[in-house]
Amino acid sequence: MKLRAAELLGNVVGGAIDGVIFDCDGVLVDSERISNGTWALLLTEIGLPMTMEQSLSIFMGNSMPRCVEIVTEMMGHAPPDDLLSRFTAQVTVALQRDLEPVDGIVALLDTFDAAGMRYGVASNGEHEKMRTTLGKTGLLDRFQGKRFSAVDVGKPKPAPDLFLHAARALGFDPARTVVVEDSPLGVQAATAAGMTVIGYAEIVSAERLRIAGAVVTVEQLAEVAALLGLG
């Protein structure tokens, strides 16, 4: 762990961290399987057979407009006009019923708070979705005034714009910012923003996250505090 911590902090300018930016889905809230399972069932209904595992591989980390573009490419024609509204209605019910915080995130945020480590969240998801998911998991208040969506900048991940916007708003120097991401697209975005990335390899393999640009990877969020010298 000491070697990996040195590797991480050696990538941060001056070795001092201004703060941490989390992805939301799959890092703060355990929503990826719920969302992708719902999406897969809906795509199957409209004539594009899909499993949850396939959906995770193809769509994870993308904004919903980009997901529709991918569906259009795969089907060879535009999907039904109500695809997104149907998905929103169905996934909202599923998330309200089944969503939980990612294992270890509450303890990690407690550690951050105790140490005075600043943090925020930057998601390709819309603000309403974050309010729903963070609210359901009891995390909403912890990110009051610190939530940033791709709709704020118009360019979703893998573009760096969202992370740069979040860093400016939080007062973080990108070169002294650490990002925790679980998708290759998110890792690419943070890397392009000049930030240091910890890849959370719970769904996507550590190898894929490292190829995308993660400096180190973890399989449990409990490891993050030690990597940052907080535990």
Side-chain angles (χ1 to χ4, degrees):
M1 181 62 76
K2 288 183 179 180
L3 290 175
R4 296 167 70 215
E7 182 181 9
L8 176 77
L9 295 176
N11 202 65
V12 177
V13 171
I17 299 167
D18 283 353
V20 177
I21 300 176
F22 294 95
D23 178 40
C24 188
D25 293 298
V27 176
L28 298 180
V29 297
D30 198 5
S31 56
E32 289 290 6
R33 291 180 180 86
I34 297 171
S35 296
N36 280 276
T38 302
W39 185 241
L41 286 173
L42 186 54
L43 293 184
T44 301
E45 288 177 11
I46 67 168
L48 183 62
M50 184 75 55
T51 65
M52 180 187 71
E53 291 75 17
Q54 289 171 326
S55 181
L56 285 166
S57 176
I58 297 168
F59 297 102
M60 182 177 167
N62 281 290
S63 66
M64 290 314 299
R66 176 56 187 151
C67 288
V68 173
E69 290 177 357
I70 295 171
V71 170
T72 300
E73 294 164 4
M74 294 178 71
M75 297 185 75
H77 59 80
D81 291 340
D82 65 349
L83 178 63
L84 281 185
S85 62
R86 289 169 62 188
F87 171 69
T88 299
Q90 292 177 23
V91 78
T92 297
V93 172
L95 290 171
Q96 289 286 7
R97 182 185 63 234
D98 300 326
L99 188 63
E100 298 289 343
V102 169
D103 187 41
I105 189 60
V106 172
L108 179 60
L109 295 179
D110 286 345
T111 299
F112 278 19
D113 289 340
M117 176 64 73
R118 294 183 294 161
Y119 55 86
V121 56
S123 173
N124 268 352
E126 297 181 353
H127 282 287
E128 183 58 35
K129 182 182 180 185
M130 279 193 281
R131 282 191 289 269
T132 297
T133 58
L134 294 174
K136 171 64 169 63
T137 54
L139 300 176
L140 187 62
D141 288 346
R142 306 189 82 147
F143 289 91
Q144 193 65 37
K146 300 183 287 186
R147 301 191 303 272
F148 306 94
S149 164
V151 301
D152 300 336
V153 294
K155 289 185 178 180
K157 307 168 191 177
D161 302 54
L162 174 56
F163 281 119
L164 292 172
H165 167 65
R168 282 193 298 268
L170 293 166
F172 299 170
D173 180 344
R176 294 159 64 99
T177 300
V178 171
V179 171
V180 183
E181 265 284 358
D182 69 330
S183 76
L185 291 178
V187 173
Q188 290 169 20
T191 301
M195 300 174 180
T196 299
V197 185
I198 298 174
Y200 177 45
E202 200 277 322
I203 293 178
V204 177
S205 71
E207 180 182 8
R208 284 187 62 198
L209 295 176
R210 277 191 172 271
I211 289 172
V215 175
V216 297
T217 60
V218 299
E219 294 185 359
Q220 297 180 352
L221 289 180
E223 299 176 64
V224 172
L227 286 173
L228 300 180
L230 303 177

